[in-house]
Amino acid sequence: MSTPAVLYHFAYHPASRTARLALGEAKTAYSEEAVRPWEDDCPLFEMNPSGMPPVLTVTEKNRPLVLCELDAILGWLEDRTKGDFLLPSDPAERAEARRLATWFSRRFTDEVDAVLLHERMEKPLLRLGSPDARMLREGREALKSHLSTLEPLAAGREWLAGRRLSQADLIAAGHLSVLDYFGEVAWASWPSLKLWYSKLKSRPCFRPLLGDRFPGVQPAPWYADLDF
């Protein structure tokens, strides 16, 4: 027996978004607890030593589980799902899904999110002043570089890692959907990625994300449009 899971997350944190997408794709029942990890009294510090979201709590066979951060959550979903869930059985596609997942968790996070999301999202939340124009330019150039690498993958494959939807797609969507909210993705310049993203946006697991609203900032006009 298991009890419904509880996901502790911040709505505009890419890994938190990926966890929501994966739980939705797995049709796993869960409730949500919104957290603000930059605040001293954030409950995450009692569950995860790093204090970072997402954290998923669940009880299985009378045993409480605390799954800290995205890798643990994705692994739990993979382990409890019959067959291949978000890691393809084909060894080459499986390796590619893992490669792309690592790329986003390291290089994309460091070169794009740490700049653009800091300027567009973290500064308003932490009242650190206006965005820095130079940093915005640098972050946008880094984003272009990453998208130029993803574009041929989307053009030559049904999904980013190959023939099947994988962790790589949901992880990429977790990152790009936050940037898209702030209007940072020029989809017209990346037609194959736009088609890939439109397929993801149309899946039921994506609907909750399209309802998110950041305090004081309206989303890009196309953010919730499935036919953008």
Side-chain angles (χ1 to χ4, degrees):
M1 295 292 290
S2 63
T3 59
V6 179
L7 181 68
Y8 296 81
H9 73 99
F10 176 56
Y12 301 92
H13 178 242
S16 293
R17 287 194 154 209
T18 299
R20 292 162 70 194
L21 291 173
L23 289 164
E25 196 67 27
K27 297 181 173 58
T28 300
Y30 71 99
S31 60
E32 298 182 36
E33 289 288 340
V35 296
R36 298 167 70 87
W38 60 91
E39 295 184 346
D40 292 339
D41 61 349
C42 177
L44 286 181
F45 291 102
E46 299 178 3
M47 294 180 281
N48 183 12
S50 76
M52 290 298 296
V55 170
L56 187 75
T57 62
V58 65
T59 300
E60 288 189 332
K61 298 179 181 179
N62 297 318
R63 181 183 179 184
L65 299 177
V66 180
L67 304 167
C68 295
E69 301 185 49
L70 184 59
D71 285 349
I73 295 170
L74 291 177
W76 177 76
L77 288 172
E78 203 72 34
D79 290 343
R80 72 194 299 267
T81 304
K82 292 182 179 179
D84 303 312
F85 175 44
L86 291 172
L87 282 175
S89 58
D90 178 80
E93 291 191 14
R94 199 177 186 92
E96 180 67 346
R98 285 174 165 149
R99 181 186 76 86
L100 292 170
T102 301
W103 174 22
F104 270 93
S105 68
R106 293 182 179 174
R107 287 196 58 196
F108 196 96
T109 295
D110 291 346
E111 297 171 10
V112 180
D113 293 341
V115 181
L116 285 180
L117 294 185
H118 175 70
E119 297 295 329
R120 299 297 309 273
M121 179 181 70
E122 293 176 359
K123 276 190 171 181
L125 286 172
L126 300 177
R127 299 179 181 178
L128 297 177
S130 301
D132 183 292
R134 181 180 62 84
M135 297 303 295
L136 288 174
R137 285 194 299 271
E138 291 183 6
R140 287 164 182 162
E141 285 302 312
L143 176 59
K144 286 180 185 178
S145 176
H146 283 273
L147 295 181
S148 69
T149 303
L150 290 172
E151 176 69 10
L153 298 185
R157 302 169 177 174
E158 187 170 353
W159 295 99
L160 289 182
R163 295 165 294 176
R164 284 193 48 195
L165 179 79
S166 74
Q167 291 183 7
D169 299 289
L170 300 192
I171 290 169
H175 289 264
L176 293 177
S177 63
V178 182
L179 293 164
D180 188 48
Y181 184 96
F182 293 98
E184 292 291 345
V185 185
W187 295 109
S189 299
W190 317 102
S192 297
L193 275 176
K194 180 179 179 181
L195 179 60
W196 161 83
Y197 191 63
S198 69
K199 289 193 299 182
L200 271 175
K201 282 178 75 171
S202 298
R203 297 178 79 87
C205 69
F206 217 102
R207 291 172 190 161
L209 275 63
L210 299 180
D212 289 341
R213 293 297 179 269
F214 188 82
V217 179
Q218 288 299 309
W222 58 84
Y223 174 72
D225 187 356
L226 300 183
D227 299 317
F228 71 111

